[in-house]
Amino acid sequence: MGGCGWLATTLDRDMLGAGLGPEWQAERLMKRRDDPAGIEEVARELGGRMFVHYIPDYALQSFAGREDLRWKMWVTPTPYSSEEAIDYLRLPFPHIPRRYVLLIDPRELDGPILGPKLVRQGGGSVEYLLPNGAPLKAVAEGWMVRLR
């Protein structure tokens, strides 16, 4: 089963344009937004879209009963199928499927948000970093979505 990953990637890269950092950019050099105005700027540049965080099946238990998701999280605005996510996002442990995603509303983050930048060897994919994770209020209603 596939999807429209190439098209989604191209549209997101074009939408973000010149604001994208290079794929080899170190975390410490990524554009940082951690005040309310900066977080609103990210929401505007995404056009009101959610961030997507892909979850390996084995990690589902770590979300049970959580109040906040306070760990370093790489996120993307681009929706991919489970198969596409492995390649476009260069996820670690590529043999482990990612059949679930968290949808995160950037307007509800309490910062910081780093990025956007291109995914290293990701064929033009876009990523952001949430170094402190996300409060549960930022996770969309129906917080976990199973991909088909």
Side-chain angles (χ1 to χ4, degrees):
M1 175 187 288
C4 296
W6 172 83
L7 179 58
T9 299
T10 301
L11 292 172
D12 280 352
R13 194 178 54 239
D14 288 350
M15 175 183 70
L16 294 167
L20 283 169
E23 62 184 281
W24 295 97
Q25 188 174 50
E27 289 177 26
R28 64 182 171 72
L29 299 175
M30 291 172 69
K31 183 174 183 177
R32 181 183 182 97
R33 276 113 14 128
D34 50 8
D35 62 340
I39 291 169
E40 184 57 36
E41 178 185 10
V42 171
R44 273 194 313 278
E45 76 189 22
L46 294 176
R49 294 170 51 201
M50 300 281 187
F51 281 134
V52 183
H53 177 68
Y54 293 83
I55 305 168
D57 290 3
Y58 71 82
L60 291 176
Q61 292 290 46
S62 65
F63 293 94
R66 287 271 185 181
E67 290 185 22
D68 284 318
L69 310 174
R70 294 300 186 178
W71 53 81
K72 182 177 172 176
M73 250 185 237
W74 288 95
V75 296
T76 181
T78 314
Y80 294 112
S81 69
S82 181
E83 295 85 6
E84 290 174 319
I86 300 293
D87 289 331
Y88 279 100
L89 299 174
R90 292 293 173 204
L91 297 171
F93 309 108
H95 62 287
I96 298 171
R98 272 59 171 196
R99 290 187 282 243
Y100 295 88
V101 296
L102 288 177
L103 299 177
I104 300 170
D105 185 344
R107 293 169 299 182
E108 295 293 334
L109 292 170
D110 47 16
I113 302 172
L114 279 61
K117 71 180 245 355
L118 295 171
V119 173
R120 189 173 298 164
Q121 299 179 339
S125 303
V126 175
E127 66 186 350
Y128 290 78
L129 176 60
L130 309 178
N132 300 334
L136 201 53
K137 72 177 184 165
V139 178
E141 192 80 27
W143 59 283
M144 191 175 301
V145 176
R146 189 179 198 294
L147 301 174
R148 298 178 201 232

